[in-house]
Amino acid sequence: MTELALRARKLDASDELAELRSRFVLDDVVYLDGNSLGALPANVPDRLQDVVRRQWGELRIRSWDESGWWTAPERIGDRIAPLVGAAKGQIVVGDSTSVNVFKALVAAVRMAGDARDEILVDATTFPTDGYIAESAARMTGRTLRPVAPGEVRDALTDRTAAVLLNHVDYRTGRLHDLPALTAAIHASGALAVWDLCHSAGALPVGLDEHGVDLAVGCTYKYLNGGPGSPAYLYVRKELQDRFDSPLPGWNSHAEPFGMSPAYTPAPGALRGRVGTPDILSMLALEAALEIWDDVSITAVRAKSLALTDFFLECVAACTEPGRVESLTPEAHDERGSQVALRCADAGKVMKRLIERGVVGDFRHPDVLRFGFTPLYVGFGEVERAAWVLGEVLG
């Protein structure tokens, strides 16, 4: 057994989160793509069986009240809240991340006022966020200016209405400085909108602590909610009375069953609701979130950093010098929970890795991405993944 394999065994033996692996449906592959789609929590199939057969099949329409369907968006939002550092009553679950980005950004611009005519957007963002920001700018008569996160401070002016940023870069795994950037945005008089898709469930966020105005995120990555599981919208408590959604719907009406032709928004985070909740996927997510009941996000972050540190060390030991280049920062305060490696023929390399039982993903044109979900990834798997990568590249 190699020195790295021995170290991996010792690290696994001392891992306080190791028992959580049994709560997921996993096989013998090394699954390092939880930053795209989390693994299936073992309790979800039986919960969905009950939702479909009993709640829908037997109770039918009665389940809106008797099974708690109607209150699911805010109830599940309260489950997510501690994972992103938010008090209850500020998160509502529903719609996709894209739709919630639109709601949050347009509402932020409206709250900023007419005198502020510019929106800043992360120039390195996931494409959809950029598309939506461009559309929101056109609709609100603002100018859109893409800037790199490191350039935000210098780009802020008294014209800035809102800034849309990613907490973690989806390509490289770089963690951006949410506290400092939020403070700078507020100092300019603008509002901060954060996309948490690649950080929620992997590291502490601190939305309330750092005064974030609005935030959005998906639930199918590190939160393991399932493919297409609903996203969420955070609206800071102090802003909820001013939150003017560009998508008012009957579900966010103060009297949803009053069927009034005039719209009166519901109080609190409920203003973020739009139409009928997607109950099947929402209740699958609720079941998945039960895994977090006794899990510390601080412990998750500590293991995440240990996993990514060990992977980078193993890759250096198992591959020829210069064969791959890490795009992920070494500094812990600049790293999310993934490692991105630049590699010639990356698409072919990832295909061969998957054939060998190491599942990551490929981003055009030359990036191998490996996501580390501390709830079910162990150190032995990390060592194995690096060893297989070395063989494939060799």
Side-chain angles (χ1 to χ4, degrees), residues 8-344:
R9 179 173 290 185
K10 291 179 181 178
L11 288 166
D12 278 330
S14 62
D15 177 15
E16 63 181 279
L17 300 179
E19 64 88 15
L20 294 172
R21 181 180 173 84
S22 64
R23 303 188 196 180
F24 290 86
V25 178
L26 296 163
D27 47 27
D28 289 334
V29 303
V30 179
Y31 189 65
L32 301 180
D33 209 9
N35 54 323
S36 287
L37 177 64
L40 171 66
N43 65 321
V44 169
D46 285 346
R47 183 66 56 81
L48 276 180
Q49 180 95 335
D50 177 71
V51 171
V52 172
R53 293 190 177 277
R54 183 183 65 85
Q55 296 182 28
W56 180 15
E58 297 175 14
L59 295 179
R60 292 177 287 274
I61 196 71
R62 291 162 52 195
S63 275
W64 284 105
D65 290 323
E66 295 180 29
S67 300
W69 288 2
W70 183 258
T71 57
E74 57 268 31
R75 182 177 72 242
I76 301 172
D78 285 343
R79 272 193 174 272
I80 293 172
L83 301 180
V84 293
K88 292 183 177 181
Q90 298 177 103
I91 294 179
V92 64
V93 173
D95 306 311
S96 67
T97 306
S98 302
V99 172
N100 283 317
V101 168
F102 177 75
K103 288 187 282 189
L105 190 55
V106 172
V109 170
R110 289 176 174 177
M111 285 188 280
D114 294 339
R116 293 179 174 266
D117 61 359
E118 185 174 75
I119 299 171
L120 302 185
V121 63
D122 184 345
T124 63
T125 190
F126 188 76
T128 295
D129 284 17
Y131 306 155
I132 290 172
E134 183 179 7
S135 178
R138 290 199 310 270
M139 290 180 60
T140 58
R142 266 62 173 185
T143 299
L144 182 69
R145 183 151 59 112
V147 295
E151 300 170 354
V152 166
R153 290 179 181 84
D154 293 334
L156 291 164
T157 70
D158 58 5
R159 294 179 51 200
T160 308
V163 183
L164 172 61
L165 293 168
N166 284 266
H167 197 192
V168 174
D169 187 297
Y170 79 100
R171 291 186 186 89
T172 66
R174 176 178 290 277
L175 173 65
H176 298 304
D177 192 342
L178 180 148
L181 287 170
T182 300
I185 292 165
H186 287 167
S188 76
L191 283 84
V193 182
W194 284 91
D195 183 330
L196 309 178
C197 284
H198 287 268
S199 58
L203 53 92
V205 177
L207 292 179
D208 286 354
E209 176 185 359
H210 303 301
V212 168
D213 300 302
L214 301 116
V216 303
C218 66
T219 60
Y220 49 78
K221 300 183 190 294
Y222 297 108
L223 298 181
N224 309 297
S229 57
Y232 57 90
L233 169 67
Y234 164 89
V235 182
R236 182 159 55 90
K237 185 175 179 63
E238 292 80 3
L239 297 179
Q240 289 176 359
D241 288 345
R242 296 170 54 204
F243 181 81
D244 183 7
S245 174
L247 294 174
W250 76 284
N251 251 244
S252 63
H253 197 286
E255 296 182 9
F257 294 98
M259 302 304 163
S260 170
Y263 179 72
T264 303
L270 294 181
R271 294 185 178 204
R273 293 176 65 152
V274 183
T276 304
D278 38 356
I279 292 299
L280 297 182
S281 58
M282 192 167 288
L283 296 187
L285 168 63
E286 184 172 35
L289 290 171
E290 291 176 2
I291 287 174
W292 292 92
D293 285 350
D294 301 315
V295 177
S296 160
I297 195 67
T298 303
V300 168
R301 176 58 168 166
K303 182 177 176 183
S304 164
L305 291 172
L307 287 168
T308 49
D309 277 344
F310 189 54
F311 182 67
L312 287 168
E313 181 182 348
C314 290
V315 168
C318 295
T319 61
E320 292 294 325
R323 186 66 176 87
V324 296
E325 173 195 359
S326 175
L327 302 178
T328 303
E330 291 186 10
H332 284 182
D333 60 358
E334 297 178 5
R335 186 194 310 166
S337 198
Q338 74 176 52
V339 171
L341 301 177
R342 177 169 285 146
C343 169

